[in-house]
Amino acid sequence: MRLLNWFRSGAPWIWLTGGAVSISLISVLGLLLLIGWKGLTYFWPAPLYMWHTEDNKMLVGQLYSRDEVPISHIHAAGLNKKLQGKESAIRLNIKIANRERNPADFISILNVKLHDETQPQGWAVIDRENNGQFYGLPVGYVSTSGRIEKEVKAHVAKGMAQAQAIRSQVHELIEQKIKVYGHKLEMLRLEKRRKELNGTMTPAYLTEYRLNKNDLDNRMSLAEDKIDQLRDQLGQQAVILQDMTGEKVLVPIAQVLRMWYPNAMSWTEKVTHWAKGVWIFLSDNPRESNSEGGVFPAIFGTILLVLLMSIVVMPLGIVAAVYLHEYAKDNMFTRLIRVAVINLAGVPSIVYGVFGLGFFVYTIGGEIDKLFFADRLPAPTFGTPGLLWSALTLAVLTLPVVIVATEEGLTRIPNSIRHGSLALGATQFETVWKIVLPMASPAMITGLILAIARAAGEVAPLMLVGVVKLASNLPVDNQFPYLHLERKFMHLGFHIYDLGFQTTNIEAARPLVYATAFLLVAVIISLNLTAISIRNNLREKYRTLGQD
């Protein structure tokens, strides 16, 4: 009887609900920890191993994984008599790097084909600008004079410092001179084009145009010559390494980004190396078809896109919700609008991408080009996918979420508060603006949180309206108008898709997929936590009945 009463009281369902929520939270946390572990361990300096094969050749590389393979699969491939009588064998996945000397970065080989596993001392891992990493035994260093030095570590450290200084100078020249002169030349060309279209071209202006163009061309040539001279300073310096085949290879110091000896590093050195690798991943630009380097442009593009989307969607959603709840009459038309808003929340995101491409890009963007950028046609400015159209597309996609959340917040405000304000002589607009909206602000921020959570991870519509694999410039720079809404941009979600499905070197890119996925989740959580803190402050400030 007590058991029956316990069921009737509803306590079992409360426990079941609490248990289900707990299991869901633990599962999500476990998944995040798994993604983070697989991604962040990529930056740990893994040791180099050396094996000898059956034909007595040397194999050097980093051991990525050990897999157990059923013996039936191996027999089907007609392999190894050593495996007879066994049920399974161990297959090693080894990164051998040296991309220009090997057909692939990774090889898979059965452990029975290898013997004499050791961790060789003195072998180095070199992170390069091109062709990925190189594994080798440093045996010499070619100095600027052409002399071969034996003290490799000291000369490599000095050469890398020089290379970094030269890279900084080259970057400064590109940013402060090459891009500036290029921008001025483009503005000069557009001004000449406008005068041609308007029929105001004069011989005096044409002479002035030629003088200005020649001056900018000369300055551009001088800057390019200076860059070439800086790069030539390191042209002769190189590290001499012996690879696993015994051959000596020259690696130019200008290509060396980092060099370390994983088998000789202490625990402190490994932690420092790991932290530096994470920082490079967060702050550097991608290389090698996004399979090397960092993801800073993608982080910047994702956050900027979400901020622009929020700036657009919040006023629209709030105005629509206030009109539907405070001003519109409850008739068939308003009920139809509410049903349409709710249904819009279930439309597939790719449909919004097609809508954004057709309406925003080709229609509105094309008209803007005709009105304001006719001198640049037929090259489009706003009539092509870009940051602005991506933000507007995501704003339309998340608009129903903001409208529903805001209207729910307006519903929770007691009508007695509205009547009291009107009774004291306030107009309906003053009541809504000064009383209702501040009290409903926590619900508005809730709508923003839900919008951010959905928009930050969307990829399908962005592929049509502005996101690209690799953007040459950030949407923000030091040239007027500073924020370039017409530019294409990178996005963490699309970066994950590109790494996971479009790169040719999937084995090397797989850890970066995990790292980027973990980073995307961290960015979304950070944006949401910021919005939640704002909502909590507003909730405490405008606490009323039904809002505790």
Side-chain angles (χ1 to χ4, degrees):
M1 192 66 180
R2 290 182 180 178
L3 185 61
L4 183 60
N5 291 334
W6 185 60
F7 271 98
R8 288 177 177 175
S9 67
W13 316 121
I14 296 176
W15 282 101
L16 284 174
T17 303
V21 172
S22 300
I23 292 173
S24 299
L25 290 176
I26 292 173
S27 301
V28 172
L29 182 60
L31 180 61
L32 290 179
L33 290 175
L34 177 63
I35 295 174
W37 174 260
K38 286 184 172 291
L40 296 178
T41 53
Y42 169 75
F43 306 104
W44 187 261
L48 282 175
Y49 291 93
M50 178 185 292
W51 298 269
H52 287 86
T53 62
E54 293 176 326
D55 51 1
N56 206 29
K57 290 183 179 179
M58 188 166 54
L59 180 64
V60 177
Q62 292 179 344
L63 181 59
Y64 259 54
S65 62
R66 295 175 183 263
D67 303 322
E68 189 171 350
V69 183
I71 204 69
S72 58
H73 294 181
I74 300 173
H75 278 213
L79 296 176
N80 218 299
K81 294 182 180 180
K82 294 181 181 180
L83 300 174
Q84 291 181 357
K86 296 183 179 181
E87 295 182 356
S88 63
I90 302 299
R91 181 175 58 193
L92 306 181
N93 190 22
I94 303 171
K95 181 179 180 180
I96 56 175
N98 303 10
R99 190 174 299 166
E100 72 276 19
R101 302 181 62 81
N102 298 313
D105 279 10
F106 288 78
I107 63 169
S108 293
I109 188 169
L110 297 175
N111 65 340
V112 296
K113 290 191 170 186
L114 301 175
H115 57 89
D116 299 335
E117 178 181 309
T118 58
Q119 292 187 13
Q121 296 299 314
W123 282 69
V125 177
I126 295 182
D127 210 359
R128 300 179 292 177
E129 280 194 352
N130 299 315
N131 295 323
Q133 294 180 341
F134 192 96
Y135 302 159
L137 177 65
V139 295
Y141 185 86
V142 181
S143 63
T144 307
S145 61
R147 180 180 175 183
I148 299 178
E149 308 287 347
K150 297 298 181 182
E151 301 247 346
V152 179
K153 285 188 178 181
H155 284 88
V156 167
K158 183 178 178 181
M160 288 174 60
Q162 292 177 356
Q164 183 58 41
I166 288 176
R167 289 192 197 99
S168 299
Q169 294 180 45
V170 169
H171 178 74
E172 185 177 349
L173 284 172
I174 291 174
E175 292 294 326
Q176 297 183 2
K177 292 190 176 182
I178 298 295
K179 288 187 177 181
V180 172
Y181 295 154
H183 179 70
K184 289 181 179 180
L185 283 169
E186 179 65 12
M187 293 298 101
L188 197 64
R189 184 190 71 82
L190 293 176
E191 183 182 5
K192 178 175 177 288
R193 172 70 171 162
R194 282 192 293 270
K195 289 186 176 293
E196 290 175 348
L197 292 175
N198 297 334
T200 57
M201 178 72 69
T202 61
Y205 171 79
L206 195 58
T207 301
E208 182 183 0
Y209 165 79
R210 289 171 180 168
L211 291 174
N212 291 335
K213 186 176 182 302
N214 289 335
D215 179 59
L216 289 173
D217 286 338
N218 291 333
R219 293 185 181 186
M220 180 77 79
S221 298
L222 290 175
E224 291 175 346
D225 292 340
K226 179 63 176 177
I227 291 175
D228 292 337
Q229 291 173 9
L230 288 172
R231 288 173 174 169
D232 289 341
Q233 291 181 15
L234 295 177
Q236 295 179 348
Q237 300 185 55
V239 187
I240 305 174
L241 298 110
Q242 179 179 307
D243 67 359
M244 63 182 181
T245 64
E247 295 185 19
K248 293 183 179 180
V249 181
L250 287 177
V251 177
I253 195 65
Q255 291 289 318
V256 178
L257 299 176
R258 287 199 298 169
M259 180 176 175
W260 64 96
Y261 299 82
N263 296 340
M265 296 174 73
S266 64
W267 179 261
T268 303
E269 290 173 337
K270 289 182 178 180
V271 172
T272 304
H273 179 92
W274 176 85
K276 187 175 181 180
V278 173
W279 172 248
I280 291 174
F281 176 69
L282 296 176
S283 61
D284 204 359
N285 293 327
R287 309 187 309 271
E288 296 291 317
S289 298
N290 293 342
S291 63
E292 303 280 348
V295 292
F296 176 74
I299 299 173
F300 189 88
T302 303
I303 295 176
L304 182 59
L305 174 67
V306 171
L307 292 178
L308 291 175
M309 180 273 300
S310 303
I311 292 172
V312 174
V313 74
M314 286 303 291
L316 292 177
I318 292 170
V319 168
V322 168
Y323 172 77
L324 289 174
H325 192 271
E326 301 293 331
Y327 290 95
K329 297 179 180 180
D330 187 13
N331 51 33
M332 181 63 70
F333 179 69
T334 55
R335 286 195 294 270
L336 184 63
I337 291 177
R338 286 191 176 91
V339 171
V341 168
I342 294 172
N343 288 336
L344 280 175
V347 175
S349 59
I350 189 65
V351 176
Y352 287 101
V354 175
F355 168 78
L357 181 65
F359 181 71
F360 291 132
V361 178
Y362 292 149
T363 303
I364 298 180
E367 292 301 320
I368 290 176
D369 282 351
K370 291 179 183 178
L371 291 174
F372 302 104
F373 300 99
D375 51 338
R376 301 189 181 189
L377 292 175
T381 302
F382 281 92
T384 185
L387 177 62
L388 175 61
W389 308 133
S390 298
L392 291 178
T393 301
L394 289 186
V396 174
L397 186 149
T398 56
L399 184 61
V401 177
V402 178
I403 293 175
V404 171
T406 304
E407 196 168 2
E408 288 292 331
L410 295 172
T411 304
R412 295 173 59 186
I413 298 176
N415 286 327
S416 58
I417 295 178
R418 297 180 178 86
H419 296 160
S421 175
L422 294 173
L424 291 173
T427 63
Q428 186 177 6
F429 176 78
E430 290 174 334
T431 300
V432 171
W433 182 254
K434 296 183 178 181
I435 305 296
V436 176
L437 285 182
M439 293 170 61
S441 56
M444 300 175 192
I445 302 300
T446 300
L448 175 62
I449 293 170
L450 296 174
I452 289 173
R454 182 177 183 188
E458 286 291 348
V459 177
L462 299 181
M463 295 171 67
L464 299 177
V465 290
V467 74
V468 291
K469 175 187 177 72
L470 186 64
S472 56
N473 295 301
L474 292 176
V476 176
D477 57 21
N478 57 357
Q479 297 176 359
F480 184 83
Y482 310 117
L483 176 61
H484 302 274
L485 298 177
E486 79 282 359
R487 288 184 182 175
K488 295 177 175 59
F489 64 100
M490 296 180 66
H491 188 273
L492 285 173
F494 184 78
H495 193 78
I496 294 170
Y497 162 76
D498 180 67
L499 283 175
F501 299 99
Q502 299 299 311
T503 182
T504 56
N505 196 1
I506 184 61
E507 290 291 341
R510 183 180 290 121
L512 291 179
V513 173
Y514 288 111
T516 310
F518 183 74
L519 179 60
L520 177 59
V521 174
V523 168
I524 295 174
I525 292 175
S526 300
L527 293 171
N528 284 340
L529 288 177
T530 303
I532 288 171
S533 64
I534 296 173
R535 181 187 64 182
N536 292 340
N537 291 334
L538 293 173
R539 182 175 289 167
E540 291 297 324
K541 186 176 181 180
Y542 302 107
R543 184 181 295 276
T544 60
L545 181 64
Q547 287 186 309
D548 33 40

